[in-house]
C-alpha cells in the first residue's frame, strides 16, 4: 500500500512542475486525496459494502470536489490536477499513468445498466473541462483537448479537440513539400495561406492537393500500362489552367487571380 502511495506522490512531481516537496503534495493535492479515498471506497464496493462505499465516495466529493463512483476501476499512478468538478462514472475504466484536469466528466449517454462510461487506456491525458461520454475506448497515449466533447472512440496516440471531438491530423514537412509541388504544377496559389495557419479551408485545400497528387500518380501508371500494351493510346498533356478563366469569380469575391 505504501509503495503505491509513494508512486502516486512521485507521479505528481512528474506531471506538475508546481509541486515543491512531498509534504506539500500530501497535504495540498485534492486529486491525491480523492484517489486514495477512492481506493478505500472501491475495496468496500467490491466486498459488497455498497452503501458504505457510496458514503466514503460522497465524503471524498465533499472534501475534494471530485466525484468518483466507487465502482470505477482505476489503474496506477492516476493523477488528477486541481480536480474540482471532476465526475467519473460507475463503469469507467482507467489504465495506468492517466492524467485528468479539472472539470472533466467521464460520463454516460444512456440510462441503461451495464457498461455506459468510457475506458481510458494507459497514458491518456484529458484536458480541463473535457467531456468523454459513452462506453467507448480512448486508446493508449491519446490526448483529449480542453473543453472537447468526445462521444466516439479515439485511436491510440491521437489527439481529439473541439465539439464534437475531432482527431487532429498534423501534416509532415514531406507532405507539405508534396502539396507545394502539386499546387505549383496546377498553377494554384492559396494567396499566402500557409500550413501553420489554423484555417479549416486551407487544411481542406491541402487534403485536396494530396488527393490530386494520388490521382495524378495513378493516371500516370494507367497511361504507362496502356502504352506498354502497344495499343494506339497516346497520353496527352492536360490543358493549362488560365487566370482569365477565374478572373470573374475572383472579382465577385473581391480577390485577385493567382500570379
Ligand atoms: C489538445 C492538446 C493536448 C494539443 O496539444 P498538441 O498536441 O501540442 O497540439 P498543438 O498545441 O500543436 O495544437 C494542434 C492544433 O489543435 C488546436 N488545439 C489545441 N488544443 C485545442 C483545444 N483544446 N480545442 C480546440 N483546438 C485545439 C491548435 O489550435 C492547433 O490548431 P492548428 O493546427 O489549426 O493550428 C492541448 O492543446 C490541450 O488542450 N491540453 C490540455 C491542457 C489542459 O487542460 N491544461 C489545464 C492546466 S490547468
Amino acid at each position: 500500500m505504501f509503495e503505491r502511495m509513494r508512486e502516486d506522490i512521485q507521479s505528481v512531481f512528474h506531471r506538475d512542475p508546481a509541486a515543491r516537496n512531498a509534504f506539500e503534495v500530501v497535504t495540498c493535492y485534492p486529486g491525491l486525496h480523492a484517489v486514495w479515498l477512492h481506493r478505500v471506497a472501491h475495496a468496500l464496493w467490491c466486498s459488497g459494502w455498497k452503501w458504505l462505499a457510496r458514503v466514503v465516495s460522497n465524503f471524498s466529493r465533499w472534501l475534494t470536489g471530485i466525484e468518483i463512483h466507487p465502482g470505477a476501476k482505476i489503474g496506477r499512478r492516476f493523477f488528477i490536477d486541481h480536480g474540482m468538478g471532476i465526475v467519473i462514472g460507475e463503469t469507467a475504466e482507467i489504465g495506468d499513468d492517466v492524467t485528468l484536469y479539472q472539470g472533466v466528466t467521464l460520463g454516460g449517454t444512456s440510462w441503461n445498466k451495464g457498461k455506459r462510461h468510457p475506458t481510458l487506456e494507459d497514458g491518456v491525458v484529458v484536458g480541463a473541462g473535457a467531456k468523454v461520454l459513452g462506453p467507448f475506448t480512448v486508446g493508449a497515449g491519446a490526448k483529449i483537448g480542453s473543453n472537447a466533447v468526445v462521444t466516439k472512440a479515439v485511436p491510440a496516440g491521437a489527439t481529439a479537440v473541439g465539439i464534437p471531438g475531432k482527431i487532429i491530423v498534423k501534416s509532415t514537412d514531406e507532405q507539405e513539400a508534396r502539396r507545394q509541388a502539386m499546387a505549383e504544377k496546377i498553377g494554384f496559389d492559396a494567396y499566402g495561406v500557409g500550413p501553420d495557419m489554423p484555417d479549416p479551408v486551407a487544411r481542406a485545400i491541402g487534403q485536396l492537393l494530396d488527393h490530386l497528387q494520388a490521382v495524378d500518380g495513378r493516371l500516370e501508371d494507367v497511361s504507362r500500362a496502356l502504352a506498354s500494351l502497344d495499343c494506339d493510346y497516346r497520353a496527352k498533356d492536360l490543358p493549362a489552367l488560365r487566370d482569365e478563366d477565374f478572373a470573374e469569380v475572383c472579382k465577385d469575391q473581391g480577390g485577385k487571380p493567382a500570379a
Side-chain angles (χ1 to χ4, degrees), residues 31-70:
L32 211 54
H33 306 149
V35 170
W36 288 343
L37 283 168
H38 172 72
R39 287 206 191 121
V40 175
H42 187 63
L44 288 168
W45 184 263
C46 295
S47 320
W49 296 88
K50 307 272 187 210
W51 177 81
L52 205 53
R54 293 297 303 254
V55 169
V56 172
S57 158
N58 200 38
F59 171 69
S60 170
R61 178 181 181 274
W62 176 79
L63 192 72
T64 65
I66 296 165
E67 182 174 331
I68 309 178
H69 191 283

Side-chain angles (χ1 to χ4, degrees), residues 81-82 101-102 125-128 143-148 159-162 168 170 195-199 203:
D81 203 0
H82 308 293
Y101 290 96
Q102 70 275 15
V125 177
V126 186
K143 293 179 192 161
I144 310 287
S146 46
N147 287 327
T159 301
V161 300
I168 300 177
K170 290 187 184 174
D196 52 339
M197 291 190 178
D199 180 346
R203 205 176 284 168

Side-chain angles (χ1 to χ4, degrees), residues 9-138:
I9 294 167
Q10 280 308 318
S11 72
V12 176
F13 286 117
H14 290 151
R15 285 176 257 174
D16 183 7
R20 293 185 310 147
N21 56 59
F23 181 71
E24 185 184 86
V25 169
V26 170
T27 51
C28 302
Y29 277 71
L32 211 54
H33 306 149
V35 170
W36 288 343
L37 283 168
H38 172 72
R39 287 206 191 121
V40 175
H42 187 63
L44 288 168
W45 184 263
C46 295
S47 320
W49 296 88
K50 307 272 187 210
W51 177 81
L52 205 53
R54 293 297 303 254
V55 169
V56 172
S57 158
N58 200 38
F59 171 69
S60 170
R61 178 181 181 274
W62 176 79
L63 192 72
T64 65
I66 296 165
E67 182 174 331
I68 309 178
H69 191 283
K73 294 184 185 134
I74 296 182
R76 301 176 75 144
R77 298 173 296 277
F78 177 46
F79 177 49
I80 298 176
D81 203 0
H82 308 293
M84 184 61 82
I86 285 184
V87 177
I88 300 176
E90 180 187 358
T91 61
E93 290 167 75
I94 296 178
D96 295 336
D97 302 298
V98 169
T99 306
L100 305 189
Y101 290 96
Q102 70 275 15
V104 167
T105 300
L106 305 183
T109 51
S110 83
W111 290 330
N112 300 333
K113 290 212 177 283
K115 174 81 173 157
R116 58 193 184 283
H117 302 106
T119 296
L120 309 188
E121 290 184 344
D122 297 350
V124 166
V125 177
V126 186
K131 315 290 174 239
V132 187
L133 308 173
F136 53 83
T137 297
V138 179

Side-chain angles (χ1 to χ4, degrees), residues 207-222:
Q207 281 164 358
L208 280 174
L209 289 172
D210 286 348
H211 186 71
L212 265 179
Q213 169 97 20
V215 171
D216 218 35
R218 189 165 299 177
L219 267 179
E220 273 171 25
D221 289 347
V222 171

